[in-house]
Amino acid sequence: MWIAWLLRILLIAVAVRAAWRFLGGLLEGARGRPTEPEESVPLVRDPVCGTYVVRARAVVLKQGARTEYFCSEQCRSRFEA
């Protein structure tokens, strides 16, 4: 019998917490606080496999005035071959 009461109390606690979080989200949305957009990161496309890579982390191959960006050493080797 005490287990049934414990389960009821637990169920009520879970329902109250869910309602509290739901109402908190509604209030936060109603305030209309503008959110700052996240800073974007420029991506480059690997010409061999088509994977998009962050330019700062890409493997680079410079051929005269042209620069190619690769996701890995293997793709750069395949491009050179």
Side-chain angles (χ1 to χ4, degrees):
M1 183 158 167
W2 64 273
I3 293 177
W5 281 103
L6 184 63
L7 288 174
R8 287 180 188 154
I9 291 172
L10 184 62
L11 183 60
I12 291 170
V14 168
V16 167
R17 178 167 165 79
W20 185 266
R21 290 189 62 145
F22 177 74
L23 291 174
L26 284 178
L27 290 175
E28 185 176 334
R31 286 187 204 132
R33 290 187 285 169
T35 57
E36 294 294 323
E38 294 184 17
E39 186 176 324
S40 63
V41 178
L43 299 177
V44 291
R45 188 169 185 193
D46 184 320
V48 175
C49 66
T51 302
Y52 286 95
V53 184
V54 176
R55 184 177 296 196
R57 295 182 181 170
V59 178
V60 179
L61 174 65
K62 293 185 179 182
Q63 296 176 328
R66 189 172 174 184
T67 303
E68 298 289 344
Y69 298 94
F70 302 92
C71 66
S72 65
E73 291 287 338
Q74 290 84 9
C75 282
R76 184 172 77 173
S77 297
R78 285 175 48 194
F79 183 81
E80 289 177 321

